[in-house]
Amino acid sequence: SYIDSKTIKKFRRTIFKASEDFYRGLLETLPKEGTFEITDIQNICELVIKEIETIQKKYTKPLFDRINIAVECARMLTQALAVDAPLMIQKIHETAKLEKTEILPVDALELYSALKEIRNIFNQVQPEKERFSFNLESTFGKYLIKFAKNISKNIDKAFVSALKLEKWKPLNGVFYSSSVLDIFKMANQSVEVFGNFDWDYDYTYAYSVTLVLKSFSDGIQQYCSYITDIVQRSLREGAEDTTQTQQTSDPTVINDKHTSRWNFRGLKDALGSSSDIQVPKAYKFEKLVCTMLNNVDTMISLLEKLESKVDSTKLSTIMNETPESSRYKNKRAQKDCLLY
């Protein structure tokens, strides 16, 4: 049957009012102003998303073939959060400043992920000309950078701890030791966390991930330097032992103060000597040194895989080609970058 436009508008207003009442009920669950936290806003976002999904599953067909109830509800709820969320976050920032407390980067970035999902829904249900009024990247960029710096500090500690606890004994079935697995397990977990935030590829993201990769690169360089010193010491000791043995047992060795200069007679004697002169044995690496060298080789391979996983080429392009005027969403983000 035919439904006139006035009736359709009435139904739309009714749906809007029901959505508004639901949203107001969520806001009433918040603690008093000045006491609610980042996690409280995240909880509201998640409840809104869950409600939209529930309505979408319940009302699969448009009302009167003209009104999509899930879309109508989503329009009201996402628009309300686009307006209210920045105001609530501003209150939290003001309270944190007064109480001299810190908002944890992880909490802030989890809220970013929830609000980004709200923005995605908004873009699907609103007319094309409508824009989500809350600039998420501008607000949360500083927390992404702080998060990256915290990870970098933990990476430095991880390398120091790995070298301190390392026994240089190969794991079962492989030729490298446990420190390689421990270090790159942390590396992969760090990269996965960045991926879970679902941050768009922009300068802030590229800078933050590069910061973490640089810490791993610096750590591996220190790790390799430490190993190199031990290997070189082992080689020197082995060479000294070989030289002493040769000087003691080989009568063909000329041992006087002129041996460092070119000696034609010595060359003739060497060429004309019998073939039973003992050739020095090939240097045999200790098991510890072999494990160290295998660790370095494995680390280089794993680092290459890690760089391909985060698309380091794309990150480098963003870092190099983004104009300086467009790099920072706000002055605070710029300050955080320059502190590194």
Side-chain angles (χ1 to χ4, degrees):
S1 60
Y2 173 74
I3 304 295
D4 60 70
S5 59
K6 186 179 289 187
T7 303
I8 294 295
K9 286 181 180 179
K10 184 177 179 181
F11 272 105
R12 282 201 167 103
R13 283 197 297 269
T14 301
I15 295 170
F16 183 91
K17 183 67 168 61
S19 301
E20 193 176 44
D21 290 342
F22 170 77
Y23 182 71
R24 187 177 291 111
L26 292 180
L27 294 182
E28 288 173 356
T29 64
L30 286 173
K32 291 182 180 180
E33 187 175 311
T35 61
F36 60 86
E37 299 176 351
I38 285 283
T39 51
D40 295 316
I41 307 175
Q42 182 184 345
N43 186 49
I44 287 179
C45 291
E46 291 172 351
L47 289 173
V48 164
I49 293 167
K50 185 177 179 181
E51 182 69 9
I52 293 170
E53 290 174 347
T54 301
I55 294 171
Q56 191 174 26
K57 292 176 181 177
K58 188 174 182 179
Y59 302 101
T60 56
K61 295 182 179 179
L63 186 63
F64 308 124
D65 292 328
R66 295 175 65 181
I67 303 174
N68 188 317
I69 296 176
V71 169
E72 296 294 328
C73 293
R75 281 176 179 169
M76 182 274 146
L77 293 171
T78 56
Q79 178 65 57
L81 276 171
V83 174
D84 290 344
L87 298 175
M88 289 188 281
I89 292 171
Q90 184 179 348
K91 289 290 183 183
I92 292 173
H93 284 160
E94 291 173 355
T95 302
K97 190 174 181 179
L98 286 172
E99 297 179 355
K100 296 182 179 179
T101 57
E102 185 179 357
I103 297 171
L104 296 177
V106 173
D107 290 342
L109 291 170
E110 286 180 352
L111 175 57
Y112 165 82
S113 296
L115 283 168
K116 185 169 183 180
E117 191 168 352
I118 292 292
R119 183 174 64 184
N120 290 339
I121 297 171
F122 178 96
N123 291 334
Q124 293 174 45
V125 300
Q126 296 288 358
E128 288 187 11
K129 64 179 181 179
E130 292 291 331
R131 291 289 178 268
F132 196 73
S133 58
F134 185 14
N135 190 329
L136 301 179
E137 285 68 32
S138 175
T139 300
F140 292 97
K142 62 184 178 182
Y143 294 110
L144 189 68
I145 295 171
K146 283 183 178 179
F147 180 75
K149 288 182 176 180
N150 289 343
I151 288 181
S152 296
K153 291 178 183 177
N154 291 333
I155 290 169
D156 295 339
K157 293 177 182 177
F159 273 98
V160 172
S161 177
L163 286 172
K164 188 179 293 185
L165 301 175
E166 180 61 87
K167 302 299 182 184
W168 307 110
K169 293 182 179 180
L171 298 171
N172 293 332
V174 294
F175 298 105
Y176 52 84
S177 60
S178 61
S179 62
V180 176
L181 290 183
D182 293 339
I183 289 168
F184 276 87
K185 182 180 178 181
M186 182 180 183
N188 284 298
Q189 287 176 343
S190 301
V191 170
E192 286 173 9
V193 169
F194 274 97
N196 292 338
F197 293 140
D198 195 26
W199 196 283
D200 290 336
Y201 270 79
D202 62 1
Y203 184 83
T204 303
Y205 179 83
Y207 174 87
S208 300
V209 176
T210 301
L211 198 65
V212 172
L213 291 178
K214 184 179 183 300
S215 294
F216 275 110
S217 179
D218 291 345
I220 289 174
Q221 187 175 3
Q222 293 175 2
Y223 187 95
C224 291
S225 296
Y226 177 85
I227 288 176
T228 300
D229 290 342
I230 295 177
V231 172
Q232 287 179 339
R233 194 183 313 132
S234 177
L235 287 171
R236 283 196 300 269
E237 291 172 356
E240 289 172 1
D241 292 341
T242 302
T243 302
Q244 289 174 0
T245 302
Q246 287 177 340
Q247 289 177 347
T248 303
S249 61
D250 190 351
T252 64
V253 174
I254 299 173
N255 189 16
D256 61 35
K257 62 182 179 179
H258 300 295
T259 55
S260 62
R261 293 180 297 173
W262 174 259
N263 192 319
F264 186 75
R265 181 179 176 182
L267 176 60
K268 287 176 66 179
D269 290 343
L271 290 172
S273 61
S274 61
S275 59
D276 59 351
I277 296 176
Q278 293 183 350
V279 178
K281 293 181 179 180
Y283 181 76
K284 186 177 180 181
F285 285 103
E286 298 177 11
K287 288 183 178 180
L288 178 142
V289 174
C290 289
T291 302
M292 288 181 169
L293 295 175
N294 286 326
N295 280 10
V296 172
D297 186 59
T298 305
M299 277 193 164
I300 292 171
S301 176
L302 291 174
L303 184 62
E304 289 173 353
K305 290 180 181 179
L306 182 66
E307 288 180 343
S308 63
K309 191 174 182 180
V310 299
D311 199 348
S312 58
T313 303
K314 185 174 182 179
L315 295 177
S316 178
T317 300
I318 293 171
M319 293 281 287
N320 294 327
E321 295 183 1
T322 303
E324 190 170 354
S325 58
S326 305
R327 290 182 178 183
Y328 312 106
K329 304 295 182 181
N330 54 38
K331 290 183 178 179
R332 176 63 183 175
Q334 182 180 14
K335 182 179 178 183
D336 287 328
C337 283
L338 294 176
L339 284 175
Y340 173 66

